[in-house]
Amino acid sequence: MKDISEIFNEAISKSFQYNSKNVSNELENIPNIWCRLEDDSQMNWYLISETDGKSVKSYLGYLSKKYPVALLYIKCPQKVKELLKDNKILVDEYNDRYSCDENILKKYVDNVVMIDDRFLYDDKIPFDVDKFLIIDEGIQYINPYNFSIESIK
């Protein structure tokens, strides 16, 4: 699990000149690259992918819609990485699981409840009955100390 608090916070501080639509359009000028918001997501992150012109062939990473940060797979082509860096996008390696300071992560997601549920699995953390009752109701939430890009995109 990778803590992305620092890079996410830095991206927030650099967002005043960021236009994700322009960056997305530039990425799509690279042959066989798509950079699009996914309809089945919260529309917070663009999926950067390799395409054959009709469909996605492979995922290359994600570009934040709100802040100048991208999480890229190792196989992402150098030309994509260079274009992002030329546009002052902070680039980090994609990971399956992340942790992030809750106050920072809240800026990347809309209308999502944050619950630190580590008390369910760690005997060293006191059991929180109030949080447990909320979780038990089946509410959708994100644990800021253990989440995937899928849960925030």
Side-chain angles (χ1 to χ4, degrees), residues 124-139:
K124 296 174 187 165
I125 299 174
F127 191 82
D128 189 323
V129 174
D130 293 332
K131 287 181 182 175
F132 176 76
L133 292 173
I134 293 170
I135 293 168
D136 195 44
E137 289 176 9
I139 190 167

mmCIF file with all atom_site columns, all heavy atoms in Angstrom, residues 124-139:
data_model
loop_
_atom_site.group_PDB
_atom_site.id
_atom_site.type_symbol
_atom_site.label_atom_id
_atom_site.label_alt_id
_atom_site.label_comp_id
_atom_site.label_asym_id
_atom_site.label_entity_id
_atom_site.label_seq_id
_atom_site.pdbx_PDB_ins_code
_atom_site.Cartn_x
_atom_site.Cartn_y
_atom_site.Cartn_z
_atom_site.occupancy
_atom_site.B_iso_or_equiv
_atom_site.pdbx_formal_charge
_atom_site.auth_seq_id
_atom_site.auth_comp_id
_atom_site.auth_asym_id
_atom_site.auth_atom_id
_atom_site.pdbx_PDB_model_num
ATOM 1   N N   . LYS A 1 124 ? -5.392  -3.751 17.999 1.00 0.00 ? 124 LYS A N   1
ATOM 2   C CA  . LYS A 1 124 ? -4.732  -2.677 18.731 1.00 0.00 ? 124 LYS A CA  1
ATOM 3   C C   . LYS A 1 124 ? -5.515  -1.368 18.684 1.00 0.00 ? 124 LYS A C   1
ATOM 4   O O   . LYS A 1 124 ? -5.239  -0.449 19.440 1.00 0.00 ? 124 LYS A O   1
ATOM 5   C CB  . LYS A 1 124 ? -3.324  -2.466 18.181 1.00 0.00 ? 124 LYS A CB  1
ATOM 6   C CG  . LYS A 1 124 ? -2.422  -3.666 18.381 1.00 0.00 ? 124 LYS A CG  1
ATOM 7   C CD  . LYS A 1 124 ? -1.090  -3.465 17.705 1.00 0.00 ? 124 LYS A CD  1
ATOM 8   C CE  . LYS A 1 124 ? -0.291  -4.755 17.782 1.00 0.00 ? 124 LYS A CE  1
ATOM 9   N NZ  . LYS A 1 124 ? 0.836   -4.757 16.870 1.00 0.00 ? 124 LYS A NZ  1
ATOM 10  N N   . ILE A 1 125 ? -6.482  -1.295 17.758 1.00 0.00 ? 125 ILE A N   1
ATOM 11  C CA  . ILE A 1 125 ? -7.316  -0.093 17.630 1.00 0.00 ? 125 ILE A CA  1
ATOM 12  C C   . ILE A 1 125 ? -8.639  -0.358 18.347 1.00 0.00 ? 125 ILE A C   1
ATOM 13  O O   . ILE A 1 125 ? -9.298  -1.374 18.091 1.00 0.00 ? 125 ILE A O   1
ATOM 14  C CB  . ILE A 1 125 ? -7.567  0.248  16.142 1.00 0.00 ? 125 ILE A CB  1
ATOM 15  C CG1 . ILE A 1 125 ? -6.230  0.529  15.447 1.00 0.00 ? 125 ILE A CG1 1
ATOM 16  C CG2 . ILE A 1 125 ? -8.503  1.437  16.004 1.00 0.00 ? 125 ILE A CG2 1
ATOM 17  C CD1 . ILE A 1 125 ? -6.328  0.733  13.951 1.00 0.00 ? 125 ILE A CD1 1
ATOM 18  N N   . PRO A 1 126 ? -9.057  0.540  19.247 1.00 0.00 ? 126 PRO A N   1
ATOM 19  C CA  . PRO A 1 126 ? -10.311 0.338  19.981 1.00 0.00 ? 126 PRO A CA  1
ATOM 20  C C   . PRO A 1 126 ? -11.507 0.204  19.031 1.00 0.00 ? 126 PRO A C   1
ATOM 21  O O   . PRO A 1 126 ? -11.595 0.919  18.028 1.00 0.00 ? 126 PRO A O   1
ATOM 22  C CB  . PRO A 1 126 ? -10.451 1.587  20.845 1.00 0.00 ? 126 PRO A CB  1
ATOM 23  C CG  . PRO A 1 126 ? -9.107  2.226  20.869 1.00 0.00 ? 126 PRO A CG  1
ATOM 24  C CD  . PRO A 1 126 ? -8.391  1.784  19.627 1.00 0.00 ? 126 PRO A CD  1
ATOM 25  N N   . PHE A 1 127 ? -12.388 -0.708 19.349 1.00 0.00 ? 127 PHE A N   1
ATOM 26  C CA  . PHE A 1 127 ? -13.589 -0.931 18.542 1.00 0.00 ? 127 PHE A CA  1
ATOM 27  C C   . PHE A 1 127 ? -14.477 0.309  18.620 1.00 0.00 ? 127 PHE A C   1
ATOM 28  O O   . PHE A 1 127 ? -14.736 0.840  19.691 1.00 0.00 ? 127 PHE A O   1
ATOM 29  C CB  . PHE A 1 127 ? -14.359 -2.160 19.051 1.00 0.00 ? 127 PHE A CB  1
ATOM 30  C CG  . PHE A 1 127 ? -15.439 -2.594 18.113 1.00 0.00 ? 127 PHE A CG  1
ATOM 31  C CD1 . PHE A 1 127 ? -15.139 -3.379 17.016 1.00 0.00 ? 127 PHE A CD1 1
ATOM 32  C CD2 . PHE A 1 127 ? -16.755 -2.207 18.311 1.00 0.00 ? 127 PHE A CD2 1
ATOM 33  C CE1 . PHE A 1 127 ? -16.138 -3.788 16.135 1.00 0.00 ? 127 PHE A CE1 1
ATOM 34  C CE2 . PHE A 1 127 ? -17.755 -2.602 17.437 1.00 0.00 ? 127 PHE A CE2 1
ATOM 35  C CZ  . PHE A 1 127 ? -17.442 -3.392 16.347 1.00 0.00 ? 127 PHE A CZ  1
ATOM 36  N N   . ASP A 1 128 ? -14.948 0.787  17.468 1.00 0.00 ? 128 ASP A N   1
ATOM 37  C CA  . ASP A 1 128 ? -15.789 1.981  17.393 1.00 0.00 ? 128 ASP A CA  1
ATOM 38  C C   . ASP A 1 128 ? -17.215 1.559  17.036 1.00 0.00 ? 128 ASP A C   1
ATOM 39  O O   . ASP A 1 128 ? -17.526 1.288  15.878 1.00 0.00 ? 128 ASP A O   1
ATOM 40  C CB  . ASP A 1 128 ? -15.224 2.936  16.335 1.00 0.00 ? 128 ASP A CB  1
ATOM 41  C CG  . ASP A 1 128 ? -15.896 4.289  16.333 1.00 0.00 ? 128 ASP A CG  1
ATOM 42  O OD1 . ASP A 1 128 ? -17.129 4.355  16.544 1.00 0.00 ? 128 ASP A OD1 1
ATOM 43  O OD2 . ASP A 1 128 ? -15.190 5.286  16.114 1.00 0.00 ? 128 ASP A OD2 1
ATOM 44  N N   . VAL A 1 129 ? -18.067 1.512  18.042 1.00 0.00 ? 129 VAL A N   1
ATOM 45  C CA  . VAL A 1 129 ? -19.444 1.044  17.867 1.00 0.00 ? 129 VAL A CA  1
ATOM 46  C C   . VAL A 1 129 ? -20.207 1.941  16.899 1.00 0.00 ? 129 VAL A C   1
ATOM 47  O O   . VAL A 1 129 ? -20.945 1.452  16.033 1.00 0.00 ? 129 VAL A O   1
ATOM 48  C CB  . VAL A 1 129 ? -20.176 0.955  19.227 1.00 0.00 ? 129 VAL A CB  1
ATOM 49  C CG1 . VAL A 1 129 ? -21.645 0.611  19.032 1.00 0.00 ? 129 VAL A CG1 1
ATOM 50  C CG2 . VAL A 1 129 ? -19.496 -0.052 20.132 1.00 0.00 ? 129 VAL A CG2 1
ATOM 51  N N   . ASP A 1 130 ? -20.039 3.262  17.009 1.00 0.00 ? 130 ASP A N   1
ATOM 52  C CA  . ASP A 1 130 ? -20.771 4.183  16.134 1.00 0.00 ? 130 ASP A CA  1
ATOM 53  C C   . ASP A 1 130 ? -20.412 3.965  14.662 1.00 0.00 ? 130 ASP A C   1
ATOM 54  O O   . ASP A 1 130 ? -21.294 3.897  13.799 1.00 0.00 ? 130 ASP A O   1
ATOM 55  C CB  . ASP A 1 130 ? -20.486 5.633  16.520 1.00 0.00 ? 130 ASP A CB  1
ATOM 56  C CG  . ASP A 1 130 ? -21.053 5.989  17.896 1.00 0.00 ? 130 ASP A CG  1
ATOM 57  O OD1 . ASP A 1 130 ? -22.056 5.368  18.317 1.00 0.00 ? 130 ASP A OD1 1
ATOM 58  O OD2 . ASP A 1 130 ? -20.487 6.888  18.539 1.00 0.00 ? 130 ASP A OD2 1
ATOM 59  N N   . LYS A 1 131 ? -19.122 3.847  14.382 1.00 0.00 ? 131 LYS A N   1
ATOM 60  C CA  . LYS A 1 131 ? -18.700 3.591  12.999 1.00 0.00 ? 131 LYS A CA  1
ATOM 61  C C   . LYS A 1 131 ? -19.175 2.219  12.539 1.00 0.00 ? 131 LYS A C   1
ATOM 62  O O   . LYS A 1 131 ? -19.575 2.047  11.393 1.00 0.00 ? 131 LYS A O   1
ATOM 63  C CB  . LYS A 1 131 ? -17.181 3.699  12.857 1.00 0.00 ? 131 LYS A CB  1
ATOM 64  C CG  . LYS A 1 131 ? -16.660 5.109  12.930 1.00 0.00 ? 131 LYS A CG  1
ATOM 65  C CD  . LYS A 1 131 ? -15.158 5.142  12.753 1.00 0.00 ? 131 LYS A CD  1
ATOM 66  C CE  . LYS A 1 131 ? -14.613 6.544  12.873 1.00 0.00 ? 131 LYS A CE  1
ATOM 67  N NZ  . LYS A 1 131 ? -13.144 6.566  12.823 1.00 0.00 ? 131 LYS A NZ  1
ATOM 68  N N   . PHE A 1 132 ? -19.125 1.231  13.433 1.00 0.00 ? 132 PHE A N   1
ATOM 69  C CA  . PHE A 1 132 ? -19.567 -0.111 13.078 1.00 0.00 ? 132 PHE A CA  1
ATOM 70  C C   . PHE A 1 132 ? -21.042 -0.107 12.674 1.00 0.00 ? 132 PHE A C   1
ATOM 71  O O   . PHE A 1 132 ? -21.425 -0.746 11.693 1.00 0.00 ? 132 PHE A O   1
ATOM 72  C CB  . PHE A 1 132 ? -19.350 -1.102 14.224 1.00 0.00 ? 132 PHE A CB  1
ATOM 73  C CG  . PHE A 1 132 ? -19.889 -2.465 13.911 1.00 0.00 ? 132 PHE A CG  1
ATOM 74  C CD1 . PHE A 1 132 ? -19.208 -3.312 13.061 1.00 0.00 ? 132 PHE A CD1 1
ATOM 75  C CD2 . PHE A 1 132 ? -21.108 -2.880 14.439 1.00 0.00 ? 132 PHE A CD2 1
ATOM 76  C CE1 . PHE A 1 132 ? -19.713 -4.567 12.738 1.00 0.00 ? 132 PHE A CE1 1
ATOM 77  C CE2 . PHE A 1 132 ? -21.624 -4.137 14.121 1.00 0.00 ? 132 PHE A CE2 1
ATOM 78  C CZ  . PHE A 1 132 ? -20.925 -4.976 13.277 1.00 0.00 ? 132 PHE A CZ  1
ATOM 79  N N   . LEU A 1 133 ? -21.870 0.615  13.408 1.00 0.00 ? 133 LEU A N   1
ATOM 80  C CA  . LEU A 1 133 ? -23.307 0.670  13.096 1.00 0.00 ? 133 LEU A CA  1
ATOM 81  C C   . LEU A 1 133 ? -23.546 1.314  11.725 1.00 0.00 ? 133 LEU A C   1
ATOM 82  O O   . LEU A 1 133 ? -24.423 0.879  10.982 1.00 0.00 ? 133 LEU A O   1
ATOM 83  C CB  . LEU A 1 133 ? -24.065 1.407  14.201 1.00 0.00 ? 133 LEU A CB  1
ATOM 84  C CG  . LEU A 1 133 ? -24.122 0.679  15.542 1.00 0.00 ? 133 LEU A CG  1
ATOM 85  C CD1 . LEU A 1 133 ? -24.750 1.571  16.609 1.00 0.00 ? 133 LEU A CD1 1
ATOM 86  C CD2 . LEU A 1 133 ? -24.846 -0.646 15.428 1.00 0.00 ? 133 LEU A CD2 1
ATOM 87  N N   . ILE A 1 134 ? -22.764 2.332  11.400 1.00 0.00 ? 134 ILE A N   1
ATOM 88  C CA  . ILE A 1 134 ? -22.880 2.970  10.081 1.00 0.00 ? 134 ILE A CA  1
ATOM 89  C C   . ILE A 1 134 ? -22.483 1.973  8.987  1.00 0.00 ? 134 ILE A C   1
ATOM 90  O O   . ILE A 1 134 ? -23.184 1.820  7.980  1.00 0.00 ? 134 ILE A O   1
ATOM 91  C CB  . ILE A 1 134 ? -22.004 4.237  10.008 1.00 0.00 ? 134 ILE A CB  1
ATOM 92  C CG1 . ILE A 1 134 ? -22.546 5.305  10.948 1.00 0.00 ? 134 ILE A CG1 1
ATOM 93  C CG2 . ILE A 1 134 ? -21.942 4.768  8.577  1.00 0.00 ? 134 ILE A CG2 1
ATOM 94  C CD1 . ILE A 1 134 ? -21.612 6.502  11.131 1.00 0.00 ? 134 ILE A CD1 1
ATOM 95  N N   . ILE A 1 135 ? -21.376 1.287  9.197  1.00 0.00 ? 135 ILE A N   1
ATOM 96  C CA  . ILE A 1 135 ? -20.902 0.285  8.230  1.00 0.00 ? 135 ILE A CA  1
ATOM 97  C C   . ILE A 1 135 ? -21.917 -0.842 8.095  1.00 0.00 ? 135 ILE A C   1
ATOM 98  O O   . ILE A 1 135 ? -22.223 -1.291 6.983  1.00 0.00 ? 135 ILE A O   1
ATOM 99  C CB  . ILE A 1 135 ? -19.521 -0.271 8.660  1.00 0.00 ? 135 ILE A CB  1
ATOM 100 C CG1 . ILE A 1 135 ? -18.463 0.834  8.570  1.00 0.00 ? 135 ILE A CG1 1
ATOM 101 C CG2 . ILE A 1 135 ? -19.124 -1.472 7.805  1.00 0.00 ? 135 ILE A CG2 1
ATOM 102 C CD1 . ILE A 1 135 ? -17.142 0.482  9.235  1.00 0.00 ? 135 ILE A CD1 1
ATOM 103 N N   . ASP A 1 136 ? -22.463 -1.278 9.217  1.00 0.00 ? 136 ASP A N   1
ATOM 104 C CA  . ASP A 1 136 ? -23.419 -2.381 9.239  1.00 0.00 ? 136 ASP A CA  1
ATOM 105 C C   . ASP A 1 136 ? -24.700 -2.055 8.479  1.00 0.00 ? 136 ASP A C   1
ATOM 106 O O   . ASP A 1 136 ? -25.368 -2.949 7.968  1.00 0.00 ? 136 ASP A O   1
ATOM 107 C CB  . ASP A 1 136 ? -23.735 -2.768 10.693 1.00 0.00 ? 136 ASP A CB  1
ATOM 108 C CG  . ASP A 1 136 ? -24.421 -4.116 10.801 1.00 0.00 ? 136 ASP A CG  1
ATOM 109 O OD1 . ASP A 1 136 ? -23.972 -5.067 10.116 1.00 0.00 ? 136 ASP A OD1 1
ATOM 110 O OD2 . ASP A 1 136 ? -25.408 -4.220 11.565 1.00 0.00 ? 136 ASP A OD2 1
ATOM 111 N N   . GLU A 1 137 ? -25.037 -0.772 8.365  1.00 0.00 ? 137 GLU A N   1
ATOM 112 C CA  . GLU A 1 137 ? -26.215 -0.352 7.596  1.00 0.00 ? 137 GLU A CA  1
ATOM 113 C C   . GLU A 1 137 ? -26.002 -0.530 6.094  1.00 0.00 ? 137 GLU A C   1
ATOM 114 O O   . GLU A 1 137 ? -26.933 -0.420 5.304  1.00 0.00 ? 137 GLU A O   1
ATOM 115 C CB  . GLU A 1 137 ? -26.540 1.119  7.883  1.00 0.00 ? 137 GLU A CB  1
ATOM 116 C CG  . GLU A 1 137 ? -27.097 1.361  9.267  1.00 0.00 ? 137 GLU A CG  1
ATOM 117 C CD  . GLU A 1 137 ? -27.321 2.840  9.546  1.00 0.00 ? 137 GLU A CD  1
ATOM 118 O OE1 . GLU A 1 137 ? -27.208 3.662  8.595  1.00 0.00 ? 137 GLU A OE1 1
ATOM 119 O OE2 . GLU A 1 137 ? -27.611 3.171  10.701 1.00 0.00 ? 137 GLU A OE2 1
ATOM 120 N N   . GLY A 1 138 ? -24.754 -0.780 5.685  1.00 0.00 ? 138 GLY A N   1
ATOM 121 C CA  . GLY A 1 138 ? -24.451 -0.997 4.275  1.00 0.00 ? 138 GLY A CA  1
ATOM 122 C C   . GLY A 1 138 ? -24.096 0.261  3.517  1.00 0.00 ? 138 GLY A C   1
ATOM 123 O O   . GLY A 1 138 ? -24.100 0.264  2.281  1.00 0.00 ? 138 GLY A O   1
ATOM 124 N N   . ILE A 1 139 ? -23.770 1.324  4.224  1.00 0.00 ? 139 ILE A N   1
ATOM 125 C CA  . ILE A 1 139 ? -23.421 2.579  3.567  1.00 0.00 ? 139 ILE A CA  1
ATOM 126 C C   . ILE A 1 139 ? -22.141 2.399  2.742  1.00 0.00 ? 139 ILE A C   1
ATOM 127 O O   . ILE A 1 139 ? -21.227 1.700  3.139  1.00 0.00 ? 139 ILE A O   1
ATOM 128 C CB  . ILE A 1 139 ? -23.248 3.708  4.615  1.00 0.00 ? 139 ILE A CB  1
ATOM 129 C CG1 . ILE A 1 139 ? -23.141 5.055  3.917  1.00 0.00 ? 139 ILE A CG1 1
ATOM 130 C CG2 . ILE A 1 139 ? -22.051 3.471  5.495  1.00 0.00 ? 139 ILE A CG2 1
ATOM 131 C CD1 . ILE A 1 139 ? -23.276 6.235  4.857  1.00 0.00 ? 139 ILE A CD1 1
#
